[in-house]
Amino acid sequence: MTSTVDRADPVGGGADDWLACRKCQSLLYRKRFDRLGRVCPDCGWHGPLTARQWLDRLLDAGSARAVLPGPSVHDPLEFTDLVPYAVRLQRARSATGMADAVAVAQGTARGRRLVVAAMDFRFLGGSLGTAAGEAIATAAETALAERVPLLVVTASGGARMQEGVLSLMQLPKTINAMSALDEAGLLTVTLVADPTFGGVAASYATHSDVILAEPGARMGFAGARVIEQTIRQRLPDGFQTAEFLLDHGLVDGVCPRAELPHTLAALLAIGDRPATGWGRDRADPVWRDPDQVPQQSIDRLVRLSRHFDRPSTLDLLTAWTDGFVELHGDRLGEDCPAIVGGLARLDGLPVMVIGHQKGNSTAELVRRGFGMSSPAGYRKAIRLMRMAAKLGIPVITLVDTPGAYPGRTAEEHGQAHAIAQCLRTLGGLPVPVVSLITGEGGSGGALALAVADRVLICEHAIYSVISPEGCAAILWRDPGAAAAAAAALRVDARSLLRLGVVDGVVPEPGGGAHRDPTATTSLARDAVVCALRELLGRPGTELVAARRARFRRFGTTER
């Protein structure tokens, strides 16, 4: 449970005007280094901050008010190794001016209220003992009482050995305190500073809604030295760093210190609520009568639905929203790039947006698997859906995929199970859900994001149980019969509206979305806003009942 991490002073002692960067060894002017937030201007190495420095950086000047935790046991085991534990505690308190390894304050960040608990590695390696656990629990309880978000900054070598099993008990204690914030619908954020190991990583550090990490920060259950000593396995360079964690879906993002205020402000803004009458200034462009939708050649329609230059999910997000914070990973070891999502504000309304991302170039198409998600992508989507339900904000899904990834690895990792869980989660979300099919809507891979209160489709998009080529190969036994298959499958928006599968069609500029992406984006935005405004304010039980009834009717004679 305990990880030992070496932590020499990276910048040296004394009051010299110059110091050496721990990473690149560049000579740094101390005052400039401090002005840059203790970040090396040459290599970007992030030097450690004390708990007090974190509170000063994160909270608005003059807003911080200390939150004092309750008393905790002192030297419960009367532990002695080379030095009595009581002596170690007294030395740490004298050296740091802190009672223990965690400082807690409530205040504001960019005018929005929150509680911050910051760890200080100088205090016995930031180890988690009873006093530190009490401070984290008190921070969570204060956030709950004040009904404000909680931000935890972690830096720890693990559980405090000198307090024995009582240190171990701080893991469920802190998790339970933070779980109460989940039940209350309050946002929790972790900022991982270097290093974060052992019991802290296995409890409150990884329990938050959003986990950010500083560049190069290390986090894991067991540190590299413990792993090497225990199982004689040499770890690769970069193992357990923030960048490694991001690639493996274990954190939402790597956040440089200079960007942290902006990112934190965007996250805290999710707690804002728009004025009454949100979206009333938008005119609804949607066609709801099938006869309004122009008839067109089916093979041309299929080509247009796949055009490289159609606005992608990220294109739409950039144009539609403010303060978009992309959230990464399924928390199980992967981050699928074919599905993107995150928190944002649409005309001031906090929303969770999730969508397939193909890309507008061959390189991006390949990198994102042509928008064909692995199970990790759908599990990431489920995580974001559940977060939206917790925070009480609407979900917007943007569908554009040939289908779910059909490879061996997807089957090994439970593709069918992941899609089924997406369908189940969307079906039961107690918040408004609007889905827009922007290009291809291929089979279960598309449906996984389209179990919505309102399902819209762009004029030149398609939606089908299988690709026209796949249908032609199976039933016609001729891939060249794709156009005939597409016509027979009724994949076009006009037919889908007539069947009741979609609720409306979003017009596109003449010739297709790629001819005028700006106009397309504007029409799609208005359509989504108008769909959402009809759903806002409805009780969650009513939304779920109506959504389930909607899908219950398909295939029956009832409309």
Side-chain angles (χ1 to χ4, degrees):
M1 181 62 63
T2 303
S3 172
T4 303
V5 181
D6 292 328
R7 191 65 174 185
D9 180 1
V11 295
D16 296 339
D17 289 338
W18 297 90
L19 52 92
C21 171
R22 179 181 178 182
K23 183 177 180 182
C24 70
Q25 302 304 310
S26 294
L27 195 61
L28 305 175
Y29 184 50
R30 188 180 297 275
K31 290 184 178 179
R32 184 187 181 205
F33 181 64
D34 289 340
R35 282 198 307 272
L36 293 173
R38 296 181 62 81
V39 176
C40 175
D42 293 330
C43 71
W45 172 72
H46 282 50
L49 296 178
T50 68
R52 172 51 55 191
Q53 288 170 329
W54 274 119
L55 295 176
D56 289 343
R57 288 186 64 84
L58 292 168
L59 296 173
D60 297 334
S63 73
R65 289 184 292 129
V67 175
L68 300 179
S72 57
V73 296
H74 178 82
D75 194 11
L77 307 183
E78 297 183 351
F79 191 96
T80 298
D81 46 72
L82 300 178
V83 178
Y85 176 48
V87 174
R88 290 188 187 276
L89 279 176
Q90 186 55 48
R91 288 176 180 174
R93 288 166 180 160
S94 297
T96 63
M98 297 179 63
D100 209 272
V102 178
V104 183
Q106 57 180 313
T108 60
R110 303 259 180 119
R112 294 182 173 91
R113 298 172 62 217
L114 79 162
V115 172
V116 180
M119 302 193 73
D120 197 317
F121 196 87
R122 299 175 305 157
F123 198 105
L124 298 181
S127 53
L128 176 62
T130 56
E134 183 65 23
I136 296 296
T138 299
E141 289 162 358
T142 303
L144 181 63
E146 299 291 330
R147 299 203 61 81
V148 298
L150 172 66
L151 168 64
V152 179
V153 183
T154 61
S156 174
R160 190 169 297 175
M161 292 178 287
Q162 295 91 339
E163 295 188 12
V165 74
L166 288 182
S167 66
L168 192 66
M169 294 302 105
Q170 304 312 303
L171 278 65
K173 173 180 178 175
T174 55
I175 284 282
N176 289 340
M178 290 186 69
S179 293
L181 300 181
D182 292 335
E183 293 157 10
L186 296 172
L187 178 71
T188 53
V189 181
T190 293
L191 175 63
V192 178
D194 186 54
T196 296
F197 280 100
V200 171
S203 58
Y204 56 89
T206 51
H207 186 71
S208 293
D209 298 312
V210 179
I211 305 174
L212 304 174
E214 291 207 291
R218 293 164 293 161
M219 181 173 72
F221 183 63
R225 192 164 67 181
V226 170
I227 293 172
E228 291 174 11
Q229 290 174 348
T230 304
I231 63 173
R232 302 293 187 266
Q233 186 176 90
R234 178 75 180 176
L235 301 175
D237 291 341
F239 187 77
Q240 295 180 315
T241 62
E243 295 74 17
F244 171 94
L245 297 169
L246 181 63
D247 288 344
H248 288 78
L250 300 173
V251 299
D252 286 291
V254 177
C255 189
R257 204 166 281 170
E259 296 177 9
L260 183 58
H262 171 78
T263 302
L264 182 58
L267 289 171
L268 295 178
I270 297 303
D272 297 346
R273 291 297 180 262
T276 304
W278 178 86
R280 297 299 177 190
D281 58 334
R282 299 278 177 181
D284 191 355
V286 172
W287 292 325
R288 304 191 186 280
D289 181 346
D291 292 333
Q292 290 179 281
V293 185
Q295 290 185 315
Q296 53 192 305
S297 162
I298 193 68
D299 55 342
R300 177 177 179 272
L301 176 65
V302 172
R303 287 198 306 272
L304 287 177
S305 73
R306 298 167 175 171
H307 200 286
F308 268 20
D309 294 328
R310 292 182 71 82
S312 69
T313 289
L314 289 177
D315 292 334
L316 294 172
L317 278 172
T318 300
W320 288 3
T321 65
D322 297 316
F324 174 60
V325 179
E326 185 173 355
L327 304 177
H328 292 268
D330 65 353
R331 295 291 187 271
L332 297 174
E334 293 185 62
D335 181 38
C336 176
I339 287 184
V340 298
L343 294 162
R345 284 172 291 122
L346 175 62
D347 289 358
L349 177 72
V351 294
M352 181 71 78
V353 186
I354 306 166
H356 301 95
Q357 177 67 18
K358 285 183 178 177
N360 302 117
S361 68
T362 300
E364 188 180 8
L365 281 166
V366 171
R367 183 171 69 85
R368 295 190 180 273
F370 295 84
M372 295 186 292
S373 177
S374 70
Y378 293 115
R379 292 184 177 122
K380 171 169 62 175
I382 292 167
R383 181 173 74 87
L384 301 190
M385 294 168 192
R386 289 174 175 164
M387 190 189 306
K390 168 192 164 173
L391 299 174
I393 61 176
V395 173
I396 300 169
T397 65
L398 302 171
V399 176
D400 185 15
T401 180
Y405 180 65
R408 172 183 170 179
T409 57
E411 294 303 316
E412 290 174 341
H413 290 89
Q415 184 71 285
H417 183 273
I419 291 173
Q421 288 300 308
C422 258
L423 301 177
R424 176 186 181 183
T425 303
L426 273 177
L429 283 186
V431 295
V433 183
V434 173
S435 180
L436 174 64
I437 302 164
T438 63
E440 286 187 275
S443 192
L447 180 61
L449 298 189
V451 179
D453 302 299
R454 298 290 182 271
V455 180
L456 305 175
I457 188 169
C458 289
E459 180 184 355
H460 297 112
I462 61 175
Y463 194 18
S464 177
V465 66
I466 190 172
S467 71
E469 293 81 3
C471 179
I474 294 170
L475 298 182
W476 273 257
R477 300 189 180 184
D478 176 10
L489 288 167
R490 304 288 194 267
V491 302
D492 60 292
R494 180 185 175 99
S495 297
L496 293 164
L497 184 57
R498 195 176 301 281
L499 288 168
V501 172
V502 300
D503 299 295
V505 178
V506 181
E508 295 184 23
H514 64 286
R515 294 287 182 88
D516 192 344
T518 301
T520 299
T521 297
S522 180
L523 287 164
R525 174 183 181 143
D526 289 350
V528 168
V529 167
C530 291
L532 271 180
R533 76 185 181 197
E534 296 176 7
L535 300 167
L536 292 178
R538 295 189 184 180
T541 52
E542 179 182 314
L543 288 168
V544 171
R547 192 181 308 136
R548 288 174 173 170
R550 178 186 195 278
F551 286 88
R552 173 67 177 83
R553 288 191 295 271
F554 288 125
T556 71
T557 56
E558 180 185 356
R559 289 294 297 274

